[in-house]
């Protein structure tokens, strides 16, 4: 991660526990990198003026009532980083499925539509068309045409449960979705429309799977019962405060 050597690596000093919520963890834990994205690779994301790099880290221990990882968001000018601080090696005792394996992302811009966030009256008005779509194609709106599954920037959160949009404590407005970090990139239905062509496999050569072995969970995450962490930000307040939510099956 392009972290300036002149800045100390962020540390979580909040009270936190093992993911099962029972055993207290060490009081000062280095944050682990989750996502680093350049502005050129996410042109539709509104970066703050003067920045071209988004960095998201979190503490990979459980926090609060729902035992969630605690995220931080940093925006910076990559040209001003200078010397780079080596990224700390995660401690051996960390819950390894709560921080991602090191990998390179290949962002792809897609168009998506709300499913759980679709107002009831709109869903009711469109139900006939959804039923017609399923009868003609076998595709379900919620699985195949609405929110893109997996790890993503912007768009709609990939909720596992009912939506919980945080409000900004500063101005009171509803925050905008910045990032979803999911345990899986797709499931047994959504792969039909959301799985990239290059990740598909011949089921006769892959034990019945229709995708390559590492395509389902390339980051190696399992957040709760295959859940997700959602990071939000207020784009009205100048300091762009963040909020977050966690849910699972």
């Amino acid at each position: 991660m392009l972290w300036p050597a002149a800045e100390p690596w962020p540390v979580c000093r909040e009270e936190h526990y093992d993911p099962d919520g029972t055993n207290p963890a060490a009081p000062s834990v280095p944050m682990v990198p989750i996502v680093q994205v350049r502005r050129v690779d996410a042109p539709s994301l509104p970066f703050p003026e003067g920045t071209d790099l988004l960095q998201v880290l979190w503490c990979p221990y459980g926090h609060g009532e729902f035992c969630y990882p605690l995220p931080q968001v940093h925006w910076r000018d990559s040209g001003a980083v200078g010397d780079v601080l080596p990224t700390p090696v995660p401690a051996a005792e960390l819950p390894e499925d709560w921080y991602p394996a090191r990998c390179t992302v290949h962002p792809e811009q897609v168009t998506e539509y709300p499913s759980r966030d679709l107002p009831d009256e709109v869903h009711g008005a469109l139900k006939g068309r959804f039923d017609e779509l399923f009868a003609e194609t076998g595709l379900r709106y919620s699985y195949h045409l609405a929110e893109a599954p997996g790890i993503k920037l912007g768009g709609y959160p990939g909720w596992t449960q009912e939506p919980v949009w945080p409000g900004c404590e500063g101005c009171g407005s509803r925050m905008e979705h910045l990032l979803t970090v999911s345990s899986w990139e797709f499931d047994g239905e959504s792969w039909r429309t959301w799985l990239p062509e290059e990740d598909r496999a011949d089921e006769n050569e892959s034990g019945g799977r229709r995708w390559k072995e590492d395509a389902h969970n390339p980051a190696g995450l399992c957040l709760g019962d295959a859940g997700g962490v959602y990071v939000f930000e207020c784009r009205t307040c100048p300091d762009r405060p963040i909020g977050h939510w966690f849910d699972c099956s």
Side-chain angles (χ1 to χ4, degrees):
M1 180 165 274
L2 291 177
W3 197 268
E7 293 182 22
W9 188 266
V11 171
C12 178
R13 293 185 172 85
E14 302 291 332
E15 183 178 51
H16 42 224
Y17 299 83
D18 288 339
D20 61 8
T22 56
N23 299 314
S28 296
V29 176
M31 295 282 190
V32 296
I34 302 301
V35 169
Q36 177 172 267
V37 177
R38 295 180 182 273
R39 185 173 195 159
V40 67
D41 293 320
S44 63
L45 190 68
F47 278 65
E49 186 176 354
T51 69
D52 65 354
L53 191 66
L54 166 64
Q55 297 172 319
V56 180
L57 306 91
W58 72 34
C59 174
Y61 282 111
H63 299 74
E65 178 184 358
F66 299 108
C67 202
Y68 48 79
L70 189 64
Q72 286 186 1
V73 173
H74 299 267
W75 304 91
R76 65 175 75 250
D77 174 6
S78 62
V81 169
D83 293 336
V84 176
L85 187 71
T87 300
V89 176
E93 65 271 14
L94 291 183
E96 62 180 19
D97 52 1
W98 272 37
Y99 64 89
R102 186 171 181 175
C103 55
T104 301
V105 296
H106 302 278
E108 181 175 353
Q109 188 165 333
V110 300
T111 299
E112 61 174 14
Y113 303 93
S115 176
R116 290 185 182 272
D117 283 301
L118 192 67
D120 290 342
E121 62 273 17
V122 178
H123 187 278
L126 294 175
K127 186 178 184 305
R129 296 176 64 181
F130 294 159
D131 293 343
E132 183 179 347
L133 171 76
F134 179 70
E136 293 180 356
T137 67
L139 298 179
R140 298 184 184 276
Y141 171 77
S142 58
Y143 274 113
H144 305 117
L145 300 176
E147 302 104 341
I151 299 173
K152 62 181 178 179
L153 290 166
Y156 292 93
W159 308 110
T160 305
Q161 303 291 344
E162 291 303 306
V164 179
W165 290 83
C168 176
E169 294 182 359
C171 68
S173 61
R174 192 181 86 167
M175 289 187 164
E176 301 286 338
H177 174 241
L178 174 63
L179 172 70
T180 286
V181 180
S182 295
S183 296
W184 299 338
E185 288 300 294
F186 52 87
D187 61 19
E189 272 293 331
S190 59
W191 72 269
R192 295 171 59 192
T193 51
W194 293 109
L195 178 64
E197 289 294 332
E198 59 269 24
D199 289 332
R200 296 177 182 247
D202 186 326
E203 61 182 329
N204 296 320
E205 299 176 359
S206 58
R209 292 192 318 271
R210 300 301 296 271
W211 52 84
K212 295 179 181 177
E213 185 174 1
D214 60 351
H216 187 235
N217 187 7
L221 294 170
C222 188
L223 303 166
D225 186 7
V229 174
Y230 316 102
V231 182
F232 304 84
E233 64 171 354
C234 177
R235 295 172 185 162
T236 301
C237 293
D239 57 344
R240 294 179 79 146
I242 70 164
H244 54 87
W245 188 250
F246 167 69
D247 67 12
C248 62
S249 300

